Amino acid sequence: MSDSSPLPPVRLHPEAELARDALSTPLLSRAARLARWAGPDTRVDAGGGLVDEQLPAAAEVLGLSGDDAAAYASEAWRVAVDTGLVEVVDEEAGTVAAGADLALLTGGSPQDVLGVWLGALETVLADASVPDLDDLVDAMDAGGEVDLSSLDWDPEAEAAFLDGVLGNLYLLTVSEDGPGDSLVPLPALAASVIVPSDMGEPTNDVLEQVSDAMMRLDDQFRLLEPAGLVEYQPVDEALMADIDGAAEEAPAGVDDTDVSRYGMVRLTPLGLYGLRSRLLEAGFEAPAVGDLADKGADALLDGTATFPQVAAQAETELWLARREPLAAARELLAAARGLDAGAPLRRLRCQQALSLVGAEAEPALREVLDDAELGGLARVWLTERGAADVPAPSQELVFWLTVDTLAAQLAAEGNSDELRALVEGLAAQHSGFFAAAWRVDHPATADVLEAMGRLHPDKKVAKEARKAAFKARSQQGG
């Protein structure tokens, strides 16, 4: 996943709701319980971990039992220390006290709570990239040191692998054509970071890599679920004995029920918040719907230019909800002016935004009827609402608006099927379109005509478009 282009906008739940979710996660709730339990007699070792003698008592406080109770208690304690819920007072004596951040869980803002949870998440993500205990024991030499070379383990590569998987899961979740709230099969997620995009049929070696990645992810998602990052349906234990052979058969030729046995995962609303925070920290442009609600109309039109249609409308509705319709319409129209390369798409987004505004905005549209750049869209808006006394557009304005609209569609969608159909329809309806279009005084005229020549399936019409584009470019001095 590249950080050079913005990710699709995410719809986040309200922070108050996310903070409640964070407080209820097993990870943070256990850490908070141990932080409140700790007292003058609590002792930690040199690394800040709870001493072995006190782990049973900690497990009892957490209501844990069984073989893994002490390990879970130790993990909860480490999270409490890492997030500042507990502070080591005297390293030599091993004494502790409640940390300054513990009070934030009950008396802080939702953002404060989420900040603590994000710290806890980092601890668990670091743990998820570490080999399991059995592998570490096997790699330990006589002096008690771990021989990393014998593990075939690269800490940075492991962290990058997990970050890549989580990044792809985030992208799948926020994309309009993605699975949305549906669970994602683990084989598909593993393949997304292993199988090259230009590979047709995966080789046996690649399938084996996917199988190995699935097993790593199964362990990792089991660790991440108590943090509230994901909802996870683990790999069926019955498949573990023969997972190599099964993994090769799973991706193709099986029904949904069979695929689900190989693990299914989805991000929680809290997980979406957490991953977006990490992506922003890493330098990605990861917008959220609502980010532009308190910004000016120029920021709205520019910001939603690359948004998918549904997200752009949701962002615009939030922006309009904070403004009076007439004032909002005037601000949008003013921001839509311009002859720069991004102006046509701004005007398209302006037109889409104005479609959400009621009749109260009519005076603002009438004010721009004589405007060379806005008069066309103003007439469209007024006509669609059945307004009286709407002046007919001149031929020059019709052609200018046509070029502007095509330039906007080209910027928004590229060479899409919808644009291809629009191009075909224009050429069919107006026999002399190209003879007039090259004369249109619009900065994008030549580019639009070149695109029409590229998109139109009829060779004769395409040639006409290219000739018109040449004339337009010559007229513009290019």
Side-chain angles (χ1 to χ4, degrees), residues 300-319:
L300 176 73
L301 298 183
D302 284 334
T304 57
T306 58
F307 281 19
Q309 184 58 44
V310 173
Q313 179 169 330
E315 184 71 56
T316 303
E317 286 172 346
L318 290 172
W319 189 88

Side-chain angles (χ1 to χ4, degrees), residues 5-320:
S5 57
L7 295 167
V10 59
R11 298 188 188 211
L12 296 176
H13 287 206
E15 285 191 345
E17 182 180 328
L18 293 172
R20 288 193 295 272
D21 291 345
L23 289 170
S24 66
T25 61
L27 179 76
L28 191 55
S29 61
R30 287 174 180 173
R33 222 177 308 166
L34 288 188
R36 297 186 182 101
W37 161 79
D41 296 330
T42 306
R43 293 293 179 269
V44 295
D45 57 27
L50 203 58
V51 295
D52 291 345
E53 295 81 6
Q54 294 189 337
L55 285 174
E60 185 178 351
V61 168
L62 298 177
L64 301 172
S65 60
D67 295 340
D68 295 327
Y72 287 137
S74 178
E75 178 193 40
W77 178 263
R78 196 155 39 78
V79 169
V81 173
D82 288 349
T83 55
L85 302 181
V86 171
E87 293 179 359
V88 178
V89 177
D90 187 329
E91 291 185 8
E92 287 191 18
T95 55
V96 299
D101 287 349
L102 181 59
L104 295 178
L105 299 186
T106 53
S109 66
Q111 208 164 31
D112 291 331
V113 173
L114 290 169
V116 175
W117 177 79
L118 285 171
L121 177 63
E122 290 302 320
T123 296
V124 179
L125 286 169
D127 286 349
S129 298
V130 175
D132 64 34
L133 185 59
D134 290 340
D135 290 340
L136 288 173
V137 170
D138 292 341
M140 193 173 292
D141 59 25
E145 296 291 326
V146 175
D147 179 11
L148 294 181
S149 62
S150 69
L151 282 172
D152 190 25
W153 174 60
D154 181 341
E156 290 186 3
E158 284 296 322
F161 168 76
L162 183 56
D163 281 345
V165 169
L166 292 175
N168 283 1
L169 184 56
Y170 180 91
L171 188 57
L172 280 170
T173 306
V174 300
S175 297
E176 279 199 354
D177 57 353
D181 293 334
S182 300
L183 289 160
V184 177
L186 202 57
L189 192 57
S192 73
V193 293
I194 299 294
V195 181
S197 59
D198 58 352
M199 177 176 280
E201 188 70 23
T203 64
N204 288 337
D205 179 59
V206 168
L207 288 173
E208 185 175 346
Q209 292 179 51
V210 171
S211 175
D212 290 342
M214 282 171 51
M215 291 301 94
R216 287 154 64 195
L217 289 173
D218 182 62
D219 290 336
Q220 290 168 331
F221 284 137
R222 288 173 192 256
L223 279 175
L224 295 173
E225 187 174 35
L229 187 74
V230 296
E231 179 184 331
Y232 183 54
Q233 177 183 320
V235 175
D236 189 338
E237 296 288 348
L239 297 172
M240 293 296 191
D242 192 28
I243 189 62
D244 289 336
E248 291 181 12
E249 298 168 10
V254 293
D255 60 38
D256 290 342
T257 305
D258 290 327
V259 169
S260 70
R261 298 179 67 199
Y262 294 90
M264 303 285 284
V265 65
R266 68 176 158 216
L267 290 173
T268 64
L270 183 61
L272 271 174
Y273 171 88
L275 288 190
R276 177 180 181 255
S277 297
R278 299 186 84 239
L279 288 166
L280 291 172
E281 185 72 23
F284 287 85
E285 191 175 341
V289 173
D291 281 352
L292 305 174
D294 59 350
K295 303 288 195 303
D298 53 347
L300 176 73
L301 298 183
D302 284 334
T304 57
T306 58
F307 281 19
Q309 184 58 44
V310 173
Q313 179 169 330
E315 184 71 56
T316 303
E317 286 172 346
L318 290 172
W319 189 88
L320 290 170

Side-chain angles (χ1 to χ4, degrees), residues 329-421:
R330 285 181 172 137
E331 189 178 349
L332 286 166
L333 289 164
R337 286 192 174 92
L339 296 174
D340 57 282
L345 187 50
R346 283 203 307 278
R347 281 187 281 275
L348 176 62
R349 291 300 191 213
C350 174
Q351 189 171 0
Q352 291 166 341
L354 290 170
S355 71
L356 304 173
V357 180
E360 305 96 318
E362 182 173 334
L365 278 298
R366 290 195 177 277
E367 290 165 6
V368 298
L369 281 171
D370 294 330
D371 189 290
E373 298 170 21
L374 305 176
L377 70 84
R379 283 169 171 78
V380 171
W381 190 93
L382 291 165
T383 302
E384 286 178 346
R385 279 158 182 74
D389 302 321
V390 181
S394 65
Q395 184 84 340
E396 181 182 349
L397 181 58
V398 170
F399 273 92
W400 195 96
L401 181 60
T402 301
V403 169
D404 199 57
T405 301
L406 286 172
Q409 295 286 357
L410 195 60
E413 303 171 6
N415 300 333
S416 67
D417 291 339
E418 291 79 3
L419 184 57
R420 189 184 303 274

